[in-house]
Amino acid sequence: MNYYLALGLQTVKEAKAYRLNFILSFLVILIPLAGQLLLSKFIYARGFQLGSWQLNQLLAYYLIAIISSEFFSIGTWWDIVNDIRYGGLNSHLLKPYSYFWHNFTVYYTLRVVSISFAIIVAYLAYVIVSGNLFLQLQLASLVQFLLLALIIAPLSFLITYGLSLLTFFFTDIGFIMKLLGILLPFASGNILPLDVFPYKIKEILIRLPSAYLVYHPSCIMSGMYTWNEFIRLIIEALLWLLIFIFIVWRLWSEGKKSYEGIG
C-alpha cells in the first residue's frame, strides 16, 4: 500500500511538469462541449426537441457526459503496450508488487489530475451557455453516481488493460484506438443520448459496457433512474465487471506464455 501511495504522489509530480498538456486538454474538452451546448440551444430555440429531453436536462447531460468520458475512458494504455513491446515488463515481473495495480494507480492518478481541470473548464462552458450558475442535482442522484463509479472505474480500466494486453498477440494495436475513436463516442452516448436512437439500436447500445462509461452516469445525474432501475443497472454492471475480470485473466495468462521478454 505504501508503494502505491508513493507511486501516486510521484505521478502527480510528473504530471505537473507537462503544463502544455493541460492547456491542450482544456481545448480538447472545451471545443466539443461548447459545440454540443450551443447546437442544443440553437435546436431548441427553433422549437424542436431531442427525444423527451428538456433543454436544461440536455445541457446538464452533456456537462456530465464530458466529465464522465474523461474519467471513465477506455483505450490502450501505452505504458503497458511499451512494456510488452520493448521488454520493460521484465523488471515489473521481478518486483514484489502487482503489475495490474501498479498501472491502475498510475492510470487513475493521472485521471484525477486531468479531471480536476476538466470539471472547471466544463462547468464554465455550461454556465456561459446555459446561464445557470448551479446544476439542479438531487442527493439520491449523487449517491447513485458514486455507487456506480465504484464499479465503472475498475471496469473501464479492465477494458483498457485487456486491450493493451493484446500487444502480446499483435505486432501493432494502433488500429484499436482508431476504431474506438470512430465507434466509442456514439456507443457511449457522448455524441447523443442513447435513448434517442431507434428502439432496436438503443436496446443493444444501452446494454453494452460502453454505455456505462457515459450514458448511464449522465442519466443518473439527470435524475432519470428510480432506485429499482438503478439496482438493475448495478447488477448488469457487476456482470460486465466479472466478464472482463475473466477476459483479462485469460489474456494475461496466455500472453505471458508467449512473452519473450527481449524487446
Side-chain angles (χ1 to χ4, degrees), residues 21-47:
N21 185 50
F22 289 143
I23 296 174
L24 294 177
S25 297
F26 291 164
L27 297 178
V28 169
I29 295 167
L30 181 61
I31 292 174
L33 177 60
Q36 289 172 320
L37 297 179
L38 290 171
L39 181 60
S40 299
K41 287 200 70 175
F42 177 83
I43 292 173
Y44 278 74
R46 297 300 184 274

Side-chain angles (χ1 to χ4, degrees), residues 108-121:
Y108 270 112
T109 299
L110 291 174
R111 291 290 170 198
V112 169
V113 172
S114 63
I115 203 69
S116 302
F117 293 95
I119 291 173
I120 295 172
V121 175

